[in-house]
Amino acid sequence: MSNPHQLSHFERWAVRASDSQFNALSGAIGGFTSGIVTCPLDVIKTKLQAQGGFAAIQKGRHVGHHKVYEGLLGTGRVIWREEGLRGMYRGLGPIILGYLPTWAVWFTVYNKSKVVLAQHHENRFVINFWSSIIAGASSTIVTNPIWVIKTRLMSQTGHHSRPRFSVFPKGSNTPTSRPTLHAPWHYRSTLDAARKMYTTEGILSFYSGLTPALLGLTHVAVQFPAYEYLKTRFTGQGMGGSPEGAGDGEAHWFGVLSASILSKILASSATYPHEVIRTRLQTQRRPAPGHEYLGGVAQGAGNNGASSPAALNQQQPQPRRYRGIVMTVRTIFLEEGWRAFYAGMGTNMMRAVPAATVTMCTYEYVMEQLKKTRHNARHKLEQSNPDVSFS
């Protein structure tokens, strides 16, 4: 029998862990790291994508609407001036909660799918393509509610008006009571956003934008097969592979960095419009059940002197402007033109490329360290007990 006390707790875990567990842990750490590093750029990108959806519309015209956010630096200055450092990291909670399971699920399912598909097909590109689709669909469905909350938190501002009348009844201390909505964007935290979305809009609000998010699988279907191809060409190793020679480290990491950057630029350029569509659908609040009746009551109260009808009409929930992908595309094109589909693309590149680079480099580094730990632990066990073999 081998002596387990020669190994640390982590080494004992590494010896027993499967490749799927390695992929899950490496992916979670990679996503977590990139989320923290690039959160401010994610906030800026979301503001630029979403602001066109907040324009007041009457008879097809924009009414009293002007662009608040202009470009990367301009948007950053506005956010910093109005909300400070906290505004730059608005939505960090959902990012952390989202990236951990997203990449843990993605890398686990992706590598598992490659093994299964390799039994039925020999073309590596086809295997990587369909593995990306399967992994992307799995992670998207699991984590979509978290990303809806993140998008709403990021798209709101730090200043809220408090009108004298709300179409929603006052909240109480009970968990199921409907909170008062003072402004279209009024969420104080991740849990507060989840509670208010559930009590005012229902469970379906957490899956707003799911269809365009699934269409976004075209993004990973481009990015990761391209990454695998480029990394193999640059380093001779596939995803998760480590250099065998001690002197190959510098060239290996340069290859990983180059493959990460090039694959992300290619995928982002090809599939960016779906992100704008998804953001518009996610940031649009669903009307609360019974809002028509409440609107009628409010109108009557206004005519009795509580408030003017014009003011009350401004406070009543606006009809949903975006209904499905086709209508959203048509509405954005007619109201804002084709350029709106690429709103924030420059900022997105400046956010997405570093995020992908940090994610992939962290993933590759953690995978390398985990494999080294397992190899060293097995070597120790073989030395202490020659009868033990892991070959």
Side-chain angles (χ1 to χ4, degrees):
M1 295 295 291
S2 62
N3 183 6
H5 296 293
Q6 293 180 340
L7 305 180
S8 66
H9 292 292
F10 183 67
E11 287 176 326
R12 287 200 293 270
W13 174 82
V15 169
R16 298 191 302 266
S18 64
D19 288 341
S20 294
Q21 289 175 300
F22 278 10
N23 280 301
L25 179 60
S26 301
I29 295 175
F32 174 81
T33 304
S34 68
I36 293 178
V37 171
T38 62
C39 182
L41 289 172
D42 206 6
V43 173
I44 294 173
K45 181 207 71 170
T46 303
K47 297 278 191 182
L48 289 169
Q49 285 181 344
Q51 72 171 340
F54 301 141
I57 301 294
Q58 287 184 0
K59 297 180 180 178
R61 296 184 298 108
H62 293 269
V63 179
H65 175 69
H66 65 281
K67 285 189 175 181
V68 178
Y69 307 114
E70 290 281 359
L72 172 64
L73 296 179
T75 304
R77 280 195 295 266
V78 172
I79 298 172
W80 183 265
R81 183 175 63 250
E82 295 184 352
E83 305 176 61
L85 181 63
R86 184 175 182 178
M88 299 299 292
Y89 279 89
R90 187 176 297 278
L92 179 61
I95 281 182
I96 294 175
L97 293 175
Y99 275 132
L100 287 173
T102 294
W103 289 114
V105 171
W106 195 95
F107 281 108
T108 302
V109 175
Y110 178 74
N111 286 281
K112 200 72 174 178
S113 298
K114 288 200 300 182
V115 174
V116 174
L117 292 176
Q119 300 173 2
H120 306 281
H121 208 285
E122 296 182 358
N123 189 305
R124 298 304 305 175
F125 181 81
V126 173
I127 293 173
N128 294 338
F129 175 85
W130 284 109
S131 296
S132 297
I133 295 290
I134 295 170
S138 302
S139 62
T140 297
I141 293 172
V142 169
T143 62
N144 193 77
I146 299 174
W147 297 122
V148 173
I149 294 173
K150 182 219 75 168
T151 304
R152 292 200 178 193
L153 284 170
M154 285 184 171
S155 61
Q156 70 182 358
T157 60
H159 305 288
H160 310 301
S161 59
R162 290 185 176 270
R164 289 173 293 175
F165 172 80
S166 172
V167 297
F168 301 98
K170 298 287 184 180
S172 65
N173 293 328
T174 58
T176 57
S177 59
R178 189 184 303 279
T180 303
L181 305 188
H182 295 296
W185 311 107
H186 58 284
Y187 308 120
R188 295 188 298 271
S189 66
T190 301
L191 293 178
D192 182 63
R195 181 177 67 88
K196 287 179 177 176
M197 287 171 59
Y198 178 74
T199 55
T200 61
E201 304 173 60
I203 193 69
L204 291 179
S205 64
F206 293 101
Y207 287 91
S208 299
L210 178 60
T211 303
L214 291 175
L215 287 178
L217 297 179
T218 55
H219 184 98
V220 296
V222 173
Q223 179 186 353
F224 287 94
Y227 173 81
E228 292 247 38
Y229 172 79
L230 292 171
K231 189 194 171 192
T232 302
R233 291 295 298 262
F234 295 156
T235 69
Q237 301 285 338
M239 182 183 293
S242 303
E244 297 180 0
D248 297 336
E250 185 175 342
H252 173 80
W253 288 110
F254 182 77
V256 171
L257 182 66
S258 301
S260 300
I261 293 173
L262 293 176
S263 61
K264 191 63 178 182
I265 291 176
L266 177 63
S268 295
S269 301
T271 63
Y272 183 77
H274 92 273
E275 293 196 29
V276 176
I277 299 169
R278 180 181 62 194
T279 298
R280 296 294 179 90
L281 289 169
Q282 287 180 342
T283 54
Q284 175 182 243
R285 289 189 57 246
R286 300 175 67 88
H291 74 276
E292 298 89 350
Y293 169 76
L294 292 171
V297 174
Q299 187 79 342
N303 292 336
N304 289 331
S307 185
S308 67
L312 292 175
N313 285 336
Q314 293 178 355
Q315 297 166 10
Q316 292 178 20
Q318 298 296 321
R320 295 174 63 196
R321 294 172 60 200
Y322 307 122
R323 295 178 181 273
I325 294 177
V326 175
M327 179 180 176
T328 301
V329 171
R330 182 175 180 273
T331 301
I332 294 174
F333 181 76
L334 292 178
E335 293 179 358
E336 305 170 59
W338 66 269
R339 293 180 183 272
F341 292 105
Y342 293 91
M345 182 175 176
T347 302
N348 180 70
M349 285 291 189
M350 297 186 69
R351 180 205 67 85
V353 173
T357 302
V358 172
T359 299
M360 297 311 302
C361 288
T362 304
Y363 166 82
E364 297 282 2
Y365 176 78
V366 174
M367 281 293 292
E368 179 180 336
Q369 296 306 311
L370 289 174
K371 289 180 178 179
K372 285 182 178 179
T373 300
R374 180 165 62 185
H375 174 75
N376 292 335
R378 287 178 174 178
H379 182 65
K380 288 181 181 180
L381 289 176
E382 289 175 345
Q383 282 187 325
S384 63
N385 188 347
D387 294 333
V388 177
S389 176
F390 295 96
S391 58

